[in-house]
Amino acid sequence: SDSFLAKATEDDFKFLAASHAKMGQFIKAQAYSESGLQKFPGQVDLLYLKAAYMEHTISRFASIAALEKIVANHPDHVQTLNHLGYTLGEANQKLDFALSLIMKATQKEPKNGYYLDSLGWLNFKLKRFSDADKYLNQALKLEPYEPVIHEHLGELKLATGEPDQALRHFENAMSLLEKVPQWRLNADLEWNQSKTRVEKRVQQLRNQA
């Protein structure tokens, strides 16, 4: 309600935006980040959320442009560094720049499994397989139940000619994703897309075995 929003703090707006995003309601999530920015102009966490949601409400290109602007003005905002680096990696754009952003994020938070996953995945994209292996395994130790890390390790093992290891990681990813309730999968686009890719990989590798 309007009276609540009048009293809302920065944290309230961040919470409301993130809660709607978790349910896949990105237009509402973005609206809360924008309302927060009207009240707290330039607040970097809200700028970050707004930029991140643009991938779902406008386009990946719009999101990248907004994230790049934040990095230019707030070069130490660790979530933006990781998110922009990973998004550029997924778009296969500016991979060396993307890697430098994620390296900076992991230097700031060396025990963040998601940032280490990003670092491993970028190294994989750059065909630096031994670095990819090192960082993805570090990520897995910190976040053993994150299916996307298993998927990334599966792709790495496939690329390095280890199909049995690859299948094991893809099967792990699949069993973790099968436990996720459907509404959560619908809301999390990365998990949703991962599930489709992983199922295809498992079928392909089982057929070859």
Side-chain angles (χ1 to χ4, degrees), residues 38-162:
Q38 283 169 10
K39 195 171 173 187
F40 304 102
Q43 207 283 327
V44 65
D45 292 337
L46 289 167
L47 285 170
Y48 161 69
L49 291 176
K50 180 184 172 184
Y53 302 148
M54 280 181 182
E55 181 164 357
H56 309 289
T57 58
I58 305 173
S59 69
R60 177 179 279 174
F61 178 77
S63 180
I64 286 172
L67 290 164
E68 284 180 335
K69 201 168 160 187
I70 298 170
V71 164
N73 294 319
H74 304 274
D76 292 324
H77 191 256
V78 69
Q79 285 170 292
T80 306
L81 290 169
N82 176 66
H83 196 112
L84 176 57
Y86 189 78
T87 306
L88 286 169
E90 289 296 87
N92 287 308
Q93 289 178 5
K94 303 182 189 173
L95 294 183
D96 289 311
F97 173 59
L99 185 70
S100 71
L101 296 173
I102 293 168
M103 283 179 78
K104 195 171 175 186
T106 52
Q107 281 158 7
K108 291 185 172 299
E109 291 189 22
K111 291 272 182 259
N112 187 312
Y114 297 100
Y115 298 174
L116 286 163
D117 171 55
S118 300
L119 190 55
W121 191 231
L122 249 293
N123 274 289
F124 170 79
K125 294 254 179 183
L126 289 160
K127 298 196 166 29
R128 297 173 186 164
F129 294 147
S130 68
D131 283 340
D133 192 68
K134 179 175 81 173
Y135 294 123
L136 289 172
N137 277 296
Q138 285 176 10
L140 191 64
K141 277 198 184 98
L142 291 161
E143 297 293 341
Y145 303 111
E146 172 51 60
V148 174
I149 301 174
H150 284 283
E151 183 194 358
H152 288 164
L153 275 160
E155 291 298 339
L156 174 65
K157 295 299 174 191
L158 207 52
T160 54
E162 300 166 85

Side-chain angles (χ1 to χ4, degrees), residues 17-28:
S19 300
H20 283 284
K22 273 202 179 89
M23 295 184 283
Q25 298 169 355
F26 292 107
I27 290 170
K28 278 188 178 169

